[in-house]
Amino acid sequence: MRLLEYQAKDILKDNGIRVPKSRLITKNRIPDLDLPVVIKSQVPVGGRGKAGGVIVVEETTRVASAITKIFAIPIKDHLPTTLLAEELITIKKELYLALLIDRSAREIQVLAHPTGGIEVEKNTTSDFLRVTLSKDSLPTCAKRLGLLFGYNVSAIETLLRKLRRTFVSSDATLLEINPLILTLDDELVCGDCKMEIDDAALFRHPELADETTPESNFVKLDNKGTVATIANGAGLAMATVDAVADHGMRPANFLDIGGGATTASVLEAFSKIIEFPGVKAIVINIFAGITRCDEIAKAIIEARDAMPELPPLFIRLAGTNFEEAVALLSAHEIPTLSSLEDCLLAAREVIRE
Ligand code: GDP
Ligand code: MN
């Protein structure tokens, strides 16, 4: 799972690693900001600087427009729901430092370059320093990095020790700091942080799972599609699309809402589906394991209330918290069907009308 920058920086801070002072901005909560600030889009992808998702604001009159602007810029298809406002750090130099897993050595590896920042990809691959960061090799690694960065070796050793501890305790598979900022006062501050957590270890980090939406996979299939599909798991989602076609209807999309879908992620799926003008029915096929039927039910109820133009829903649920889901839905007069087949037959009736 890829963390958002502010989540990753919270973890760094908890581990005693220096990050800029910051405040979170959501659409309905804009805090008082000490200027100047850097306002940054919180999306789970890089390249925000180049896409216009990082704006330096120095005057009070520009705060609101910068915020509005960043909320409206999708970055690689991701629209932010949160922004991070950070104290503006004066940069002397931007360095690149990452920890990742070296599978063949079964160890953590450090990847570093003295020129970081948004153009880091332009560096020649062979110019990066790559060294193993085991407990034993840490002092040697610090010496090499000190030389590379032209920076105090013992300070680097302390930083590496903290980063390694953070990496291990978070079950990270990647921890990339780009830029690692060398400030005018010769301090090292983490300007950006990209962190990936091993999905198989997420059960050890329930505090993280709550905040990010799981990966969902939406593929638009047919502009003239009449039936939209929502399913969980790639296999079930594909089978649902096939079943729609087998019943003589045109599937508009493929959507795997992923394991552990939340109300928010399902609502997002509905908002994508209502963009399709030709859709006359939505077939929802959930076989819940990690996913919980009641979460899906809540999203369906919210979507029905919030989106009056939503086409008729044909819902088949099975698995975790099925009873709770059916109770919730029936309290809102939303019926469920007992099989996918029933959903498809009913959808076909609606489409024929
Ligand atoms: P990315 O483009 O998604 O990697 O976003 P970053 O958080 O790395 O920001 C992109 C660039 O914005 C950085 O490389 C910096 O040049 C600039 N930037 C970010 N924060 C600051 C800051 O506090 N001060 C200054 N001067 N520049 C910043
Ligand atoms: Mn960056």
Side-chain angles (χ1 to χ4, degrees):
M1 183 179 73
R2 171 78 178 264
L3 300 187
L4 294 171
E5 179 190 12
Y6 80 88
Q7 296 175 301
K9 282 181 166 169
D10 279 349
I11 295 177
L12 293 182
K13 197 171 151 200
D14 290 344
N15 282 276
I17 298 163
R18 203 163 151 208
V19 297
K21 286 198 202 85
S22 68
R23 308 286 299 267
L24 273 187
I25 300 175
T26 52
K27 280 195 175 139
N28 42 27
R29 199 184 71 92
I30 298 173
D32 281 336
L33 302 173
D34 291 329
L35 300 184
V37 281
V38 189
I39 304 181
K40 305 169 89 178
S41 181
Q42 296 300 288
V43 285
V45 288
R48 296 166 304 161
K50 285 188 180 169
V54 177
I55 299 181
V56 174
V57 181
E58 300 187 272
E59 294 159 50
T60 319
T61 51
R62 310 238 162 188
V63 173
S65 66
I67 290 174
T68 311
K69 197 165 162 189
I70 302 180
F71 270 128
I73 302 176
I75 299 173
K76 296 173 191 158
D77 284 341
H78 294 270
L79 260 186
T81 54
T82 317
L83 313 182
L84 186 65
E86 288 189 331
E87 62 170 319
L88 182 72
I89 308 274
T90 315
I91 297 177
K92 188 194 270 181
K93 197 162 176 359
E94 297 189 88
L95 312 166
Y96 177 93
L97 179 63
L99 269 61
L100 39 118
I101 290 176
D102 177 352
R103 288 181 189 276
S104 56
R106 301 187 176 197
E107 256 305 344
I108 297 170
Q109 188 177 57
V110 159
L111 187 65
H113 199 288
T115 312
I118 57 175
E119 302 289 358
V120 73
E121 277 96 6
K122 291 197 176 152
N123 293 335
T124 314
T125 316
S126 57
D127 289 348
F128 281 82
L129 172 72
R130 272 179 182 272
V131 276
T132 299
L133 183 68
S134 64
K135 273 194 180 133
D136 294 341
S137 72
L138 205 139
T140 325
C141 188
K143 273 187 203 131
R144 295 187 63 181
L145 263 187
L147 216 57
L148 187 77
F149 289 166
Y151 198 77
N152 179 297
V153 173
S154 78
I156 298 238
E157 188 170 331
T158 308
L159 176 65
L160 284 181
R161 208 173 287 282
K162 288 176 180 172
L163 285 172
R164 190 173 193 282
R165 196 194 312 135
T166 308
F167 192 92
V168 173
S169 65
S170 313
D171 292 303
T173 53
L174 174 70
L175 199 177
E176 180 190 68
I177 299 167
N178 183 35
L180 173 62
I181 298 175
L182 179 62
T183 68
L184 276 188
D185 322 326
D186 282 321
E187 301 278 344
L188 288 181
V189 181
C190 300
D192 184 13
C193 183
K194 171 170 156 187
M195 199 162 167
E196 305 252 3
I197 308 294
D198 185 346
D199 286 335
L202 276 181
F203 70 96
R204 289 207 282 238
H205 307 279
E207 74 289 356
L208 297 176
D210 285 343
E211 290 197 44
T212 36
T213 39
E215 295 259 311
S216 81
N217 229 327
F218 190 101
V219 183
K220 186 172 178 173
L221 293 175
D222 184 348
N223 275 328
K224 294 191 181 135
T226 49
V227 179
T229 64
I230 298 181
N232 67 314
L236 189 64
M238 229 161 342
T240 308
V241 167
D242 285 348
V244 168
D246 281 347
H247 284 70
M249 299 175 283
R250 292 172 80 150
N253 72 302
F254 163 97
L255 171 60
D256 163 17
I257 55 169
T262 58
T263 308
S265 64
V266 180
L267 269 175
E268 196 188 313
F270 278 115
S271 62
K272 281 185 188 159
I273 285 171
I274 57 171
E275 304 277 303
F276 292 83
V279 168
K280 291 188 182 143
I282 302 178
V283 170
I284 301 173
N285 189 18
I286 303 294
F287 190 84
I290 310 171
T291 307
R292 290 168 32 205
C293 289
D294 56 327
E295 280 288 316
I296 308 280
K298 281 182 208 154
I300 292 172
I301 293 162
E302 261 190 62
R304 272 275 299 261
D305 290 344
M307 303 172 190
E309 67 275 49
L310 204 64
L313 307 174
F314 301 94
I315 308 165
R316 175 260 179 173
L317 303 171
T320 311
N321 293 3
F322 165 76
E323 286 86 4
E324 288 90 330
V326 172
L328 279 170
L329 289 170
S330 58
H332 287 80
E333 290 170 7
I334 302 173
T336 53
L337 295 161
S338 57
S339 70
L340 177 61
E341 179 71 19
D342 288 350
C343 291
L344 295 167
L345 295 175
R348 200 160 64 185
E349 289 307 309
V350 168
I351 283 166
R352 277 198 188 132
E353 278 166 14

